[in-house]
Amino acid sequence: MEGGGVVSSEKQSAESTTTSSYTYWVREVKQDAAPLPVPRKLTAQDLSVGSNSSNHLGSAWNKAGTWEEKNLNKWATERIKELVLSVGSLEFSSGKAEIAEVSRCTGDAFLVTVRNKKRVGYTYEITLRVKGEWLVGGEKKKFNVNLDLAEFSFGELDDLQVEVRLNEAKDLLVEDKQRIRQDMKMFLKPICEKLHEFEAELKER
C-alpha cells in the first residue's frame, strides 16, 4: 500500500533519530588495562628519605635552599648585655670595681642559610660604665669609669681592645691614673670569655 509505505518510512526515521540522540559509550575493562594501585608497606629506604627532609634548614618556603638571611639583632643585643653584666666585680691590689651598666650596645647579628648550610656572623661595639673604689693618697675614693670596646666581629675576639676613660680624675696624679687604667684593663679577659660564650650560642641558633 502506498500510504502504508510512507508511514513505515517516517517511523523508521523517527526510530533512527531517537537511537542516535541517546547513544552512550561505555569503556570496557580489557586485559591490557592498567591495574588498580595496591597498598604496600613502607621500606627502610622510604623512611630514610622522609627523615632527610626533616633536616632541611631555613624556612619552610625555602625548600630549594636558596639564599635566606635572618636578622638576630634583638636577641644578640639583649644576650650580649646579659653576659657582659654577669662578669660582675673585680678586686685589685688597691681597690675594686664593678660593671654597673652597658650604656651602649650597637651592631648587627645574622643567620644566613644557603644551599642547606648555615652561617652566622655579627659586628658589635659596646661601652660599659664601671663603678670603682681605689685607695688614693691614703684615702678611698670612688670613680666612674667608661670602658669602650671598639667594633669587633665573629672570630676576632682575640684581637679585642679596650679603651679606658676616667670621668672624675682631674685631681689624680699621673701614676694614680695609670694604675686605675691598668686595673680596668683586667676586665678585658672575663669580657672576652663571655663574648666567646655568645659566639657559641649564636652558632646554635
Side-chain angles (χ1 to χ4, degrees):
M1 294 171 57
E2 189 171 318
V6 172
V7 172
S8 176
S9 176
E10 291 177 352
K11 181 179 180 181
Q12 183 178 0
S13 176
E15 290 176 353
S16 175
T17 301
T18 302
T19 304
S20 62
S21 299
Y22 296 93
T23 301
Y24 296 91
W25 295 94
V26 180
R27 181 174 179 267
E28 296 181 359
V29 179
K30 298 182 179 180
Q31 292 182 353
D32 59 349
L36 295 174
V38 179
R40 69 180 181 87
K41 182 182 293 186
L42 291 174
T43 64
Q45 184 177 2
D46 295 329
L47 295 175
S48 176
V49 172
S51 63
N52 288 339
S53 63
S54 64
N55 294 330
H56 170 75
L57 299 177
S59 300
W61 58 265
N62 193 12
K63 294 298 184 182
T66 55
W67 179 279
E68 178 184 350
E69 183 171 342
K70 184 178 181 181
N71 186 311
L72 299 176
N73 292 355
K74 186 177 184 298
W75 171 82
T77 300
E78 292 177 355
R79 190 59 181 140
I80 288 175
K81 289 181 178 180
E82 291 174 358
L83 288 170
V84 172
L85 286 173
S86 69
V87 170
S89 61
L90 295 180
E91 292 192 6
F92 319 109
S93 59
S94 59
K96 61 181 179 179
E98 178 182 10
I99 297 177
E101 178 188 13
V102 180
S103 54
R104 183 172 65 100
C105 183
T106 58
D108 297 290
F110 59 85
L111 165 64
V112 171
T113 303
V114 58
R115 295 181 182 178
N116 209 35
K117 294 182 179 180
K118 69 176 183 178
R119 179 172 63 88
V120 294
Y122 72 90
T123 300
Y124 265 84
E125 52 186 30
I126 60 178
T127 297
L128 310 176
R129 185 171 66 86
V130 180
K131 295 190 300 183
E133 183 180 77
W134 283 267
L135 189 62
V136 178
E139 298 180 3
K140 288 184 178 181
K141 293 186 178 183
K142 295 181 178 180
F143 299 96
N144 288 317
V145 184
N146 285 331
L147 301 181
D148 295 321
L149 282 78
E151 185 176 277
F152 54 94
S153 301
F154 192 94
E156 299 179 356
L157 293 178
D158 291 340
D159 300 323
L160 188 62
Q161 299 292 327
V162 61
E163 179 184 350
V164 180
R165 291 187 289 118
L166 291 170
N167 298 332
E168 304 164 357
K170 293 181 180 180
D171 299 331
L172 286 178
L173 297 176
V174 174
E175 55 266 29
D176 290 329
K177 292 181 180 180
Q178 184 64 24
R179 176 163 51 90
I180 292 175
R181 286 194 175 96
Q182 288 301 116
D183 288 344
M184 287 293 91
K185 289 184 178 181
M186 293 178 64
F187 274 103
L188 184 59
K189 182 178 178 180
I191 289 173
C192 279
E193 292 174 353
K194 294 298 180 179
L195 292 177
H196 276 297
E197 288 184 31
F198 166 74
E199 286 192 352
E201 293 179 12
L202 180 62
K203 288 192 291 186
E204 296 300 321
R205 297 291 295 180

